[in-house]
Amino acid sequence: MAVSLSLLTSCPLAAEAAPEDASANGQTEAIEEHIMGDTVVTATRTPVKAFKANANINVITRDMIEKRHYTSVQEALRDVPGVSVPIYGNSGETYSANGLMLNGTDHVVVLIDGVRANINGSSGTYGKMPMAELSNMASIERIEVLKSSASTLYGADAVGGVINIITRDPSKEKMQTTLSALRGSFGKEQYNLAHHGHKDDFYWDISLQKKKTDNYKDGWGREIVDQLHSTNNTYKIGKRFGDTADVNVVYQTYTSDYVRPTGGWSDLIKDKRWGQYNTGRKHNNKLNINYRQKIGDHAENQLSVFRYQYRQDELAWQRKHTASAYTAPAIYHYSTIGVSDQFNFRLGKHHQLVAGGEWYRDKTDEYNYAGTIFTGKDITTAALYLHDTFTFGDDWELSYGLRYNHNSRFGSSWLPSITLGHTVKKRLNYFVGYKRFFIAPYMSQLFSPRYGDPNLQASTGTAVEAGVNYRFNPRTVGSMKLFRRWTKDAFGFDSGKIAPISGQTGAYANYGEENAKGFDLQLKTYLGGGWTANAAYTYTYVEAVSGKGIATVNERVPRSAWNIGVDYEKGKFNGNLTARASIAKAGSRSGAQARSNTSAGAADYHTFWLFDVGMNYRPIEEVNFFVKCNNLFNRLYTEQSYELDPNKAWYSGPGRRFEVGVEYSF
């Protein structure tokens, strides 16, 4: 089994919380609480300390969000070991096909407060939330990243893992309003207003954002076409009924107008004499209604009803010398409605039962890509699951469960899972697990007249994993996690296949068996004097069985990756330095691009390091000034191109860029 190393990126320590002399029991416990002491819920749908979670889980805390000033969930995820977020353009918001991959697969379930948020069908979102558009961070309390097959609890297609975005609970916080303004390189402007509070049994959280960006320059100083005007608003209102019940409504809207390039490298550069650009508009919204009810002292139920709408309209125009011409529009309209219910019950001292069900329908309201149309298609999924966490001998834990999943197009499947973990004297935790999964193709992969194939088969597979967490001392915790995954009837885009509907070259296809393997090692330490550090190495390899398939995933996922961070906090000042490396990215392995990617022009771009630095100064409690510099050394790089020669087809990442801002709370 191959191995991959990755280090913890949990919240930085407060300087005052970890004095140099930690000999006293209270001080030692305070340090341990900061080192991998977060309480997480995503591993088992019930609260558990991260150290004992028996899963590969990382947490992006509220403290990290505030000190590193992440401008989107996507940006925050790039600092998590083992997460690959290849993007087009500056932020990714102007392009629809940005990837999100865990453990070498883009079959990932995204949750908001434990409720499924995926949109099945969009060729732009690949069945996930468009992560770059989750850019209003003011309403987010933390993000839990579970890198583990989790089909029993979260959905048949949770192959690589789960992203659980947990919003703030204003009923537990004082009333507060925060205003912030940010200005940055490449015409970036961002303005936020956030207000939350509670009175009697009512609570609310309102978060409004407006953002603008312009064309950017890459590491060679080339100006890249990429423009955005967006608004991103979240409204949450709820009422508590004593300590036994709670109901809340959450409504989120995202709108944007943008300009992006399309086609090849020639289109990206502003001063090229020929180019093709798309102007577009997005108008998305999400509505969740949640009801929680405690039943006695040992049971709780949560019922959620949701509706999501994804609307994207594009109009392409071509420019040649001084002439320009509009081409056919592209329309992507999808919607999802659903309901989910989760029942938690503690049976005696040793059993924690989670039972639930969900039903959701994904529908193509309108799809029109350059005259190729499919409309009115829908796929319905229904599921029931039961999961038991059984503790015995005080320090052993057995988690096992079963999901029944029914897909309206691909039929029924049974998905079991089992994990055994052992904790020794709060210093050592280790576990092993076995999981099954089922992957149904998305609607665009099935029905798109241009690229789809209605005869695609669903994929099935098995994943096994193992891990260990070890507390070297109160200041340092490390962990190592391994996984292996086998997939039958894997499918993806095949550039050589003739599309059965359109007759064009290039279509989705089943390409046989695919295996993946990797490991990650996680380490975090408090150095004293307000300093904390983490480092991570991740190894991921996806292989196709000889003669049966093509592992195109390796063109997008680096074989190895590093994540390194240093944080410092002293009094009114704190700062952070983060570095991440993409090592041995393969690029295309076939045809002319394969030969190009072995050329001298591509040799320097299989591997790259990016460094970001940020600083905060809080002269008084209510005011915070901050500055950030991303891509500190102005590195030329790409995260989303099969071609690694920057003089050919190339989607450049942005070069060095600065941001300065101020926050005021009252």
Side-chain angles (χ1 to χ4, degrees):
M1 179 177 291
V3 182
S4 145
L5 302 166
S6 126
L7 298 171
L8 285 178
T9 55
S10 53
C11 67
L13 301 180
E16 311 307 324
E20 293 291 339
D21 180 9
S23 58
N25 289 337
Q27 294 170 337
T28 300
E29 291 174 1
I31 294 175
E32 289 181 345
E33 184 66 20
H34 283 283
I35 300 290
M36 208 174 179
D38 301 296
T39 297
V40 297
V41 298
T42 308
T44 60
R45 283 192 181 265
T46 55
V48 62
K49 289 290 185 181
F51 187 83
K52 300 176 62 177
N54 295 326
N56 191 348
I57 193 163
N58 292 89
V59 184
I60 302 166
T61 65
R62 184 70 211 167
D63 189 64
M64 291 179 68
I65 293 171
E66 291 178 345
K67 291 178 179 176
R68 298 187 180 182
H69 299 280
Y70 295 124
T71 56
S72 70
V73 170
Q74 177 176 269
E75 184 181 347
L77 292 174
R78 293 165 77 176
D79 281 345
V80 177
V83 179
S84 177
V85 192
I87 69 168
Y88 294 92
N90 186 351
S91 67
E93 290 182 66
T94 62
Y95 204 95
S96 59
N98 296 303
L100 168 64
M101 307 183 79
L102 301 181
N103 282 349
T105 177
D106 58 8
H107 296 289
V108 176
V109 169
V110 179
L111 309 170
I112 299 178
D113 289 331
V115 180
R116 187 183 182 94
N118 294 51
I119 301 171
N120 179 344
S122 170
S123 60
T125 62
Y126 286 102
K128 299 177 291 293
M129 287 293 298
M131 303 304 290
E133 296 169 16
L134 295 172
S135 60
N136 194 340
M137 305 295 285
S139 62
I140 296 176
E141 179 63 25
R142 69 184 187 276
I143 305 166
E144 297 182 3
V145 181
L146 175 66
K147 291 194 305 172
S148 170
S149 295
S151 294
T152 298
L153 279 172
Y154 291 108
D157 55 340
V159 180
V162 176
I163 309 292
N164 193 4
I165 301 162
I166 299 169
T167 61
R168 304 181 78 164
D169 183 357
S171 69
K172 297 180 180 179
E173 301 185 33
K174 66 178 182 180
M175 190 177 300
Q176 183 174 320
T177 300
T178 301
L179 304 173
S180 67
L182 178 153
R183 297 291 297 269
S185 303
F186 314 133
K188 183 171 184 177
E189 300 179 26
Q190 181 173 308
Y191 306 98
N192 284 69
L193 184 154
H195 174 73
H196 62 257
H198 62 90
K199 185 175 182 180
D200 298 327
D201 292 326
F202 288 93
Y203 59 88
W204 59 89
D205 186 356
I206 300 171
S207 179
L208 312 177
Q209 181 189 82
K210 199 168 186 63
K211 181 162 61 174
K212 172 184 176 294
T213 61
D214 206 343
N215 297 345
Y216 66 90
K217 291 185 178 181
D218 67 10
W220 279 1
R222 301 177 298 189
E223 186 170 354
I224 310 299
V225 176
D226 189 278
Q227 301 165 24
L228 173 75
H229 287 77
S230 70
T231 60
N232 196 333
N233 303 329
T234 300
Y235 310 89
K236 181 177 186 178
I237 185 169
K239 178 175 173 36
R240 287 190 178 276
F241 300 90
D243 295 329
T244 61
D246 175 280
V247 62
N248 64 69
V249 178
V250 183
Y251 183 62
Q252 296 175 287
T253 65
Y254 175 88
T255 61
S256 69
D257 294 287
Y258 63 87
V259 178
R260 69 170 180 90
T262 185
W265 172 80
S266 297
D267 300 334
L268 297 172
I269 312 302
K270 182 182 178 183
D271 60 1
K272 286 290 177 182
R273 295 176 63 82
W274 184 91
Q276 180 172 308
Y277 308 103
N278 282 14
T279 63
R281 169 166 290 185
K282 298 180 185 179
H283 187 92
N284 306 334
N285 64 78
K286 300 186 288 292
L287 174 67
N288 288 70
I289 303 173
N290 307 293
Y291 177 72
R292 180 186 62 84
Q293 175 72 55
K294 290 185 67 175
I295 305 169
D297 295 330
H298 302 286
E300 181 175 293
N301 190 76
Q302 178 172 320
L303 175 68
S304 299
V305 180
F306 54 92
R307 186 211 68 193
Y308 307 137
Q309 291 183 322
Y310 180 89
R311 300 287 185 265
Q312 181 179 0
D313 300 275
E314 284 196 345
L315 189 64
W317 63 278
Q318 299 182 43
R319 175 175 60 86
K320 188 172 184 179
H321 301 291
T322 57
S324 63
Y326 285 96
T327 59
I331 299 172
Y332 310 108
H333 291 185
Y334 300 94
S335 61
T336 298
I337 59 172
V339 59
S340 66
D341 189 75
Q342 175 185 330
F343 181 77
N344 292 4
F345 182 72
R346 178 166 291 280
L347 183 62
K349 182 179 179 181
H350 301 290
H351 286 272
Q352 177 70 55
L353 293 174
V354 179
E358 61 184 10
W359 176 93
Y360 57 92
R361 185 194 69 191
D362 297 300
K363 183 180 179 182
T364 306
D365 299 317
E366 184 175 2
Y367 180 102
N368 184 336
Y369 180 77
T372 61
I373 302 171
F374 75 93
T375 299
K377 300 289 187 180
D378 66 73
I379 294 177
T380 300
T381 301
L384 296 171
Y385 61 88
L386 178 66
H387 189 268
D388 178 29
T389 301
F390 173 58
T391 59
F392 57 97
D394 293 329
D395 49 14
W396 287 89
E397 183 175 277
L398 179 66
S399 297
Y400 53 95
L402 182 67
R403 170 178 287 254
Y404 169 76
N405 190 82
H406 180 78
N407 182 284
S408 60
R409 185 173 180 86
F410 295 98
S412 301
S413 56
W414 293 90
L415 304 171
S417 66
I418 185 168
T419 300
L420 177 65
H422 184 210
T423 302
V424 182
K425 297 181 179 179
K426 297 184 179 180
R427 187 164 185 172
L428 172 68
N429 167 266
Y430 56 90
F431 66 91
V432 294
Y434 168 90
K435 318 285 179 66
R436 292 282 298 170
F437 57 82
F438 173 90
I439 313 168
Y442 306 138
M443 284 190 291
S444 60
Q445 296 169 333
L446 291 165
F447 305 127
S448 168
R450 188 179 181 94
Y451 303 116
D453 183 350
N455 298 314
L456 280 178
Q457 300 298 308
S459 299
T460 58
T462 300
V464 295
E465 59 188 31
V468 58
N469 299 318
Y470 185 71
R471 196 181 303 276
F472 295 93
N473 55 55
R475 298 168 180 262
T476 305
V477 169
S479 68
M480 181 176 180
K481 313 291 170 62
L482 305 93
F483 79 94
R484 187 78 188 251
R485 187 173 65 242
W486 298 268
T487 305
K488 294 181 60 177
D489 297 318
F491 54 83
F493 187 78
D494 185 343
S495 59
K497 180 182 177 180
I498 303 300
I501 302 176
S502 66
Q504 298 184 8
T505 302
Y508 289 98
N510 290 100
Y511 55 80
E513 298 180 31
E514 183 181 85
N515 300 337
K517 52 189 176 181
F519 80 92
D520 68 61
L521 170 70
Q522 305 192 5
L523 181 68
K524 183 176 178 67
T525 184
Y526 173 69
L527 301 173
W531 292 90
T532 56
N534 61 80
Y537 170 77
T538 305
Y539 175 87
T540 308
Y541 181 60
V542 182
E543 61 179 348
V545 175
S546 178
K548 295 186 178 181
I550 49 174
T552 57
V553 171
N554 288 320
E555 300 171 6
R556 294 180 287 162
V557 178
R559 187 68 54 85
S560 301
W562 281 93
N563 293 84
I564 297 174
V566 177
D567 293 88
Y568 173 76
E569 183 168 351
K570 188 71 173 180
K572 300 177 180 180
F573 172 85
N574 68 75
N576 56 80
L577 172 68
T578 60
R580 56 189 177 90
S582 175
I583 300 173
K585 185 175 185 290
S588 178
R589 291 175 174 268
S590 62
Q593 285 187 355
R595 293 189 291 273
S596 173
N597 286 337
T598 61
S599 68
D604 292 336
Y605 303 99
H606 290 269
T607 295
F608 61 84
W609 281 85
L610 298 177
F611 292 83
D612 302 331
V613 63
M615 291 175 285
N616 295 269
Y617 177 67
R618 191 178 293 275
I620 58 175
E621 182 63 28
E622 295 78 14
V623 177
N624 181 47
F625 297 96
F626 63 90
V627 60
K628 289 177 60 178
C629 178
N630 292 332
N631 196 357
L632 181 63
F633 299 107
N634 203 31
R635 170 69 174 174
L636 179 69
Y637 71 100
T638 182
E639 292 182 307
Q640 185 63 279
S641 179
Y642 301 134
E643 171 65 70
L644 294 181
D645 187 338
N647 291 300
K648 300 183 182 296
W650 180 271
Y651 288 92
S652 289
R656 183 189 299 115
R657 57 204 185 277
F658 295 92
E659 296 175 359
V660 296
V662 60
E663 296 174 337
Y664 173 58
S665 299
F666 57 94

